[in-house]
Amino acid sequence: MPSSKTKHCLAFEHHDHRRCQSQLLSAARELCHSRNIRLTERREQVLQILLQSHQPMGAYEILGQLNRNPEASNIAPPIVYRALEFLLELGLVHRIECKNAFIGCVHPGHASTAQFLICKGCEKVAELDNPTTSLQQEASQVGFMIDHSVVEITGLCAECQAND
Ligand SMILES: [Zn+2]
Ligand SMILES: [Zn+2]
Ligand SMILES: [Zn+2]
């Protein structure tokens, strides 16, 4: 089994997700700590929910999971949106526009550029590591300063192609 401690697993690869999840959670905690930002219990809960799988989740689905907790009573949508906003700004989660959903980041700390492979079969989303695309390179060649660049690529992962 391939194992490297800090490198994340691509969502489509078979991997020990529980380990992946706990690594991502501790990376998030470290990031907050190093920036002197408080990851409140609610924000951490939202992040934990998003890290349960590599499938993106809508805000209402997150809300439903939060309210399933017997200790929480009637958490309202704005609370979830605020937590998501915080997590988005820090680069701990990303928004997947084409799904109107959110996903935990696999290498936390970058907020405005990301590339995703989105499988239409299993609905898993894999975030690519590559910080610059050729598109971004071309933009910078003409002196364009990018402030937001999110690439969403849809298709079928290897496993879903095999199951087709
Ligand atoms: Zn995983
Ligand atoms: Zn990311
Ligand atoms: Zn798939």
Side-chain angles (χ1 to χ4, degrees), residues 20-50:
C20 161
Q21 186 182 19
S22 75
Q23 278 175 359
L24 291 175
L25 201 61
S26 53
R29 289 192 188 117
E30 268 167 45
L31 185 93
C32 288
H33 186 75
S34 72
R35 295 192 188 171
N36 255 320
I37 290 166
R38 214 164 78 83
L39 187 67
T40 61
E41 210 184 316
R42 180 78 67 231
R43 292 163 177 170
E44 190 169 315
Q45 276 172 349
V46 170
L47 183 63
Q48 252 169 346
I49 289 171
L50 283 172

Side-chain angles (χ1 to χ4, degrees), residues 78-91:
I79 291 175
V80 174
Y81 282 112
R82 271 203 298 275
L84 282 170
E85 221 165 279
F86 168 87
L87 295 167
L88 281 166
E89 237 166 75
L90 264 180

Side-chain angles (χ1 to χ4, degrees), residues 119 122 157 160:
C119 179
C122 59
C157 74
C160 289

Side-chain angles (χ1 to χ4, degrees), residues 94 105-107 110 114 127:
H94 298 294
C105 176
V106 291
H107 36 86
H110 64 111
E127 182 175 348

Side-chain angles (χ1 to χ4, degrees), residues 5-21:
K5 265 204 214 104
T6 48
K7 189 120 171 75
H8 73 89
C9 303
L10 198 64
F12 303 133
E13 287 166 6
H14 286 281
H15 66 280
D16 178 355
H17 183 64
R18 218 179 282 182
R19 204 176 109 188
C20 161
Q21 186 182 19

